[in-house]
Each structure stands twice: as C-alpha cells, then as structure tokens.
Amino acid sequence: MADNSNNTNPSGKPQSPQGKPSPNNTKPKKGWVMYVVYGAIILVLGGMLLRQDSTNGPHKIKWAKLESIIRQQDYTKIVIVNQEFAEIYIKPTAIKNDTSYSDLVGHNMMSQPTSGTGFYLYEFVTFESFEKDLEQIEEETGVRVELTPEKRTSPWRDIFIVFGPLLMLIVFFMIMSRISQRQMGGGGGGIFGVGKSKAKVYDGKTPTNVTFKDVAGLAGAKEEVMEVVDFLKNPRRYTDLGGKIPKGVLLVGPPGTGKTLLAKAVAGEANVPFFSMSGSDFVEMFVGVGASRVRDLFDEAKKKAPCIIFIDEIDAVGRARGHAGLSNANDERENTLNQLLTEMDGFSSGTNVIVLAATNRADVLDKALLRAGRFDRQIYVELPDLEERKGIFNVHMRNLKLNNDENTEGYVDRDFLAKQTPGFSGADIANVCNEAALCAARKGKKLIEKQDFLDAIDRIVGGLEKRTKVLTEQEKRTIAYHESGHASVSWLLRWANPLIKVTIVPRGKALGAAWYLPEERQITTYEQLFDEMTSLMAGRASEEIFFGKISTGALNDIERATKMAQSLVVYYGMSPELGNISFYDASGQNDYGFTKPFSEKTAEIIDKEVKRIVEEAYARAKSIILGHRDQMNELASQLYEKEVLFREDLERIYGPRQADLEKKKEEENQKLASASTEESDNSAPSNPTDDQPQHDNENLLD
Ligand code: ATP
C-alpha cells in the first residue's frame, strides 16, 4: 500500500523521527524563497530601467503650466521624446526674471541635455490629444509652435526588453519545478526530473513508527523477513560459508493481510535505509519514464547499501509480458519490467541491496521475475487463523476504551470475537474495531461493548440495516420462508456452515440474510462443497414448496452455487464424467490467447455436469425441507414475527445440531487416540541404543 507517512522530504532526504525537518533539510525551502526574491529583483530592475529615462530628474508639470509657457513663449524648444513625453526648455531670461520658474533655479541646470537652460517634463495622456490642444493654442495665438521629435533608446532598456521575458520565464519554470517536486514527494528533479525515482526513503531510528509489535500473528512471515534483515546486517555469516545473499523477497497474499504493514515493520526494525515505492509509481504517461525511475531507484539504493527496496503492488509493473506478435511487445510497462529485470540481475549478491516486493497476484507475475536470482524467496501471508485474529484484535484494541469487566454482559471477549470473524483479513478486523467504536459513540456510550462489535461485524458483512425499505406482506412472508430454508438445511447438514443468526430486515442490497460460521479448513472435500451448495439452493427450494412459485430473490444463491459447481467440474476434477482433469491455469497467462483450452465436446460435458450437480443440490434441498415441513413453518412464522432469529431459536425447534454432536464425538475420539499413542511412545525406550534398531520408524514407513 501506498504509504503516506511524511517522514521524508520531497528530495527523499530523511527527517527527524518527529517529522520535523532536520537542519540540512531547510535547503529546498530557502531555495524556493530565493527564486521568488530573484524574480522580484528582476521585475523591479526592469521597471526601473524602463522608466529611467523618463522620470530621472526633471520637474513634471501639468497641462495648465505648459499652456501658459507656450502662450508666453518662454521656451527655447520643445522636444517630443518617443511620443511619450515632452521636454520643455525654458529661456534663461525667463528663469531669471519670472518667479514662477524659480523651481528651475539650481535644478536641472547642470543636467540639461542640450541647451544650457533648465527644462520641465510633460507626460502625454496620448500624443494625439496633446497635438489637438496645441493646435487650439496655435489658432488662438496665431503663433506656430515648433516641436523637435527625438527617438531615444537606452542599451539597458533594450537588453531588458529582449531578455527580461526570457529571464522571467526561466524563474517561473524554476519555481514551478520546485512546487511540482514537492507535490510529487519524490526524490528530486521536479518537472525536469520525471525520470527520477519517487521512492520514499526511511532511515534513522524507526522512522515508520511501525515495529513487529504492531503486526499480530504472521509468525512464519516475520521470521523470514527478519532473516532478510540479518542478511544485510551480518552478510559475512552467510558468505563465509560460500552462501549467497538472496536478492529479492516476494510477499504474496490476499488483500489486507498485512504485507505492507510487515514491510513497514521491517523498515522500523532493520536500521538500514528503506526505499519504499508502489509499482504504479513507475508508470507515467511519458514513455521511458518507468525504466528511468527503476534505474534511478537502484542507483540511489546502491549508494546507500546495505539497504532494502520495497515495491508495493509489484503486479502493476511485473505482469507477464505479452508474446511478440500477439500483443504490443514494446509498451511502456514492459520496458519498465525489462529494466527491473536487468537491475536485479545487475547487482551482485555482494551489493547488499535486497528487494522486497508485495502482491496479491503472484500468478500474473512474469516468470522471469520469479526465477531464482531475482525474487528467490516467496513468503506467503495468508488470512489469519483463530489465534492470529485474536492477536490482531488485541493490536487494534490497544487504543480503544472497552468494557473489560468479565462479569457484565457487555464484556468484550477477544476469543469470542475471533471465533465470529472467520475469513476476515487483518484490514477487516481493523475496520471492525473502528466501526465498533463509531457504533458505541453513536449510541452515546462511555465504553465499547460486545454488542457494538457484533453490530460492526454485521454491518461489514451484510451492509447497513435498511428498515425504511417498504415490503409488502407477501414479500416479507416469501423472504421469511426463503431465509428459513437456508437456516434449516444448513442446520441439518453435516458439512454445511452452522448458522449464527438469520434476519429478514433488509441490509445493503439484500432483503434478508443469514450469518454462518464457516469451519476453518485447509482442504475441502466433494461432500463439504455439495452440502454448502445444497444449503445455498434451499432458499429457492423453500419458496417453491410453500408458495408453488419461485422468485428473483435467489439470484445471488444460484450464482454462487453455479460457480461452485463450475469449479468442481472445471478446476478440481471432481466430475466422474470428465474425470481427473483440471483446466485451471495457475500462471493466469493463457499463453496463446485461447479462450477455451478444451474442445466443444468437452464444453458440452462441462455444461451437462454443472447443470446436473446444481439440480441435484436443489432436489436434495427440497427433499430435506419436505421432510421437515412443520419445523419450517414454525421457524418461518417466528422469523416473520421477530424479524431476527438466533442459533438458540433453531435449537429450540430442531433440537441440538447433529453435525456438532458428531464433530464433538470425532474430536473426543481423536484426543483419545492421540493420548494412547503418546502413552505407548512413553512406554517405549526413550533413548534407543545402537543395539536396538528403531523398528517403529520402519513400521511407519510400511
Ligand atoms: P493489499 O494487498 O491490499 O495492499 P496488504 O496485505 O498490503 O493489502 P496492509 O496494507 O498491510 O495489507 O494492511 C492493511 C491494514 O490492516 C493495516 O494497516 C493494519 O491496520 C491491518 N492489518 C493487516 N494485517 C495485520 C496484522 N497481522 N496485524 C495487525 N494489523 C494488521
């Protein structure tokens, strides 16, 4: 995941752990201000230059004074400069005798450009209006006024007119470059450096503020990543024996299982520089940028070795390349991937740079990326099991105000919550904790209680309750029978998931819902899958039996049952008609672009088998419901009335769940069996001598 931590500055330089810039990090800020100052200086200088000729020195006068000078003919000459202003040179005698020119005495007398007289300056509003006014005076006095036009240029002014805009443009781009560089948060270059890597760099003391304490469970994965850190810190321990340090480690697992968190914890624990980047950061609209960023990232990393590079969501760049001729083999992503492959080959195992990457689609990654010598190791980060879920709850409950009083009903029991959340990822559990806090706050509680967590789980699984949705009586009755069908059949079947709660209050998109507690198992048998399909079809079966018609309400159930049947036949080789054949493509690369890797005849068999299995599940569900008609009626009418029923209500109607009793019995038998083997092990000699061959092992092999 993208990491928003701001412990680095845009140039990728470290900041202090508190997030304050360290002293040497003030540079960019200073530079920014400097650019603005330079710009302002250029503007002011330019302005001064432009105005220099016109405003330096002479007294400015208004039209009234100019008119009187002209009418009295006190001037020696009037110079029109660039049609912008006029210089009016006054006769020395007038200056001497007329007190109205006293302001010229001692002023301008030295600086007069031509005649040795003082002069005034008159700025035109427009030259045309000046001409018109002058004509009027000429008409009235009958004296023609001689004007001396003059073109004046200043070399500085010309230089500024030519180069000023260019200079301004350069300053503007420099400022923009700084801004964009800051916004991209990456290492240097700004818009002039799109090819620079945008990796965040963490170094110093635990700058990510995440340690292994924040990662619950994942013991195996933690151990493996810690080994990576050890490779970097004590490489000689491994190389002295001739071993090679691995170059790449790939974290693979479903979304939200803590891959990014684990990588951040490595950064926190490793005490080596850590470059973090997302796969999508490499790809930009410019061609060649991705490859250049990869190069830059590895160059930077090599300079800081020993260090770790972390590439999140590597599938954004690491997807399998197309076949030449069949796809556009030269596209930008492929160039980026090629560069990544080259860089990972390029550094020898002695470089002390290890690449850590995370993805939830290892199946789509290019094979070249996964080969030994690149991502030599793959660490699987699975969905958490019961104990791990408990641990994750503990981590995320650290800052929550909980009801911890075991003697109250609202006591937040971690074991119970972990049992209620099978199939939840770490991210889901973090979400449940947050949602529970919000739930409690909404109710104005001082402490978060068990019910808040249950409401949060319901909300996350089923969506928000929508009691405002208007249903007709008949619709409500149909939903009650539909949900009772699911609840009853799953209660009665050995391998179906046991019910926790069933409701006919609309939630999210669904009009009714049933919550089950899936069993935690690593492999699934045909019987287990078929039981699950039967309970999925039970909703529609119930509608048909009790109302004689079926509705669209079963869409989601049928869809899921059909998909399960398809997987049984096409992937798991569980159809007797088709035999032990799987059309599953683990690489997901579908090498030659075939849509179907089987013949039309096989396709027909698949269709037939899928239909057969789904129909069999439906018929089975119907026969189970027909065999329990009375209980079904009672359950549906209670559900209709109360709107929500729990496991205990079902137990009241059907008695204890047979499947649970059987399971308990099996577990007890297993315990007994293991206890007796332990006993026989203990009675055997614990330290077999060389004279006593270990026949036990031989028997085991037999
Ligand atoms: P994705 O593949 O979608 O990027 P991910 O596997 O990288 O997901 P993270 O981003 O690491 O998942 O996890 C998301 C959040 O879930 C974390 O920020 C954390 O709050 C929580 N979480 C996940 N796993 C754990 C764990 N083992 N312990 C504690 N919290 C966890």
Side-chain angles (χ1 to χ4, degrees), residues 382-410:
E382 300 289 353
L383 284 172
D385 61 21
L386 188 75
E387 272 308 306
E388 287 174 325
R389 285 200 298 275
K390 203 170 127 188
I392 299 173
F393 268 115
N394 278 329
V395 166
H396 291 283
M397 282 176 176
R398 277 188 308 210
N399 298 324
L400 300 183
K401 287 186 180 159
L402 302 171
N403 179 349
N404 284 324
D405 185 354
E406 284 185 45
N407 301 319
T408 55
E409 211 185 302

Side-chain angles (χ1 to χ4, degrees), residues 1 214-218 253-262 312-313 360 392 395-396 426-427 430:
M1 254 183 184
D214 301 300
V215 188
L218 307 179
T257 44
K259 298 179 292 296
T260 312
L261 191 71
L262 198 62
D312 205 357
E313 317 292 356
N360 25 59
I392 299 173
V395 166
H396 291 283

Side-chain angles (χ1 to χ4, degrees), residues 67 195 228 376 475 520 639 692:
E67 192 181 355
V228 171
D376 319 66
E475 276 174 340
E520 303 208 18
L639 186 57
Q692 290 170 316

